[in-house]
């Protein structure tokens, strides 16, 4: 398999694992998908943003709020460069940001 074909497969399988709450199994797959996506498509790509958002979600569930904050800030940065044909679930991003800020006791930003 070509890396470009492998990345979405890794993401999809990791998403299935996330749906089953197998976050420890999902994270290495997401990390590998992200590595491939960044190398092949660059940072400002919708696939990169989707993978970062899923990683942030996993980190919130695992209570790794510093890591979730980094990923969510990257998602917002990447999505700011999208044109009208590209989309990311910004509402989920803001929801996860709220949870992260509350967990970090930063209630003003939440």
């Amino acid at each position: 398999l070509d890396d470009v074909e492998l990345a979405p497969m890794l993401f999809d399988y990791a998403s299935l694992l996330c749906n089953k709450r197998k976050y420890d199994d999902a994270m290495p797959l997401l990390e590998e998908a992200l590595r491939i996506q960044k190398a092949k498509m660059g940072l400002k790509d919708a696939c990169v943003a989707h993978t970062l958002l899923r990683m942030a979600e996993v980190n919130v569930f695992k209570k790794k709020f510093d890591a979730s904050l980094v990923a969510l800030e990257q998602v917002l940065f990447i999505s700011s460069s999208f044109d009208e044909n590209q989309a990311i679930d910004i509402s989920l991003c803001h929801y996860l940001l709220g949870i992260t800020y509350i967990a970090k006791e930063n209630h003003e930003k939440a």
Side-chain angles (χ1 to χ4, degrees):
L1 280 176
D2 188 308
D3 280 351
V4 175
E5 295 172 351
L6 181 60
M9 293 170 69
L10 290 170
F11 177 84
D12 289 343
Y13 187 62
S15 293
L16 289 173
L17 291 171
C18 288
N19 292 340
K20 294 180 179 187
R21 299 191 186 276
K22 295 184 177 185
Y23 303 116
D24 290 333
D25 295 332
M27 189 55 90
L29 301 176
L30 291 169
E31 289 169 345
E32 181 62 12
L34 182 64
R35 184 195 65 75
I36 294 167
Q37 291 164 341
K38 283 182 174 180
K40 298 293 182 180
M41 296 173 260
L43 179 63
K44 291 188 176 185
D45 182 79
C47 292
V48 171
H50 286 285
T51 302
L52 284 166
L53 185 58
R54 178 60 78 171
M55 291 173 77
E57 190 174 14
V58 169
N59 283 319
V60 165
F61 282 111
K62 292 178 73 177
K63 300 190 183 321
K64 294 184 175 183
F65 298 109
D66 289 335
S68 69
L69 184 58
V70 169
L72 292 166
E73 288 174 344
Q74 289 178 8
V75 170
L76 290 174
F77 174 75
I78 294 167
S79 68
S80 69
S81 68
F82 287 173
D83 61 28
E84 60 195 38
N85 296 324
Q86 295 172 304
I88 186 86
D89 190 350
I90 292 298
S91 60
L92 176 59
C93 186
H94 286 287
Y95 172 74
L96 294 172
L97 271 172
I99 292 172
T100 299
Y101 284 131
I102 288 170
K104 293 173 70 63
E105 297 185 10
N106 190 339
H107 300 283
E108 288 181 21
K109 285 194 173 187

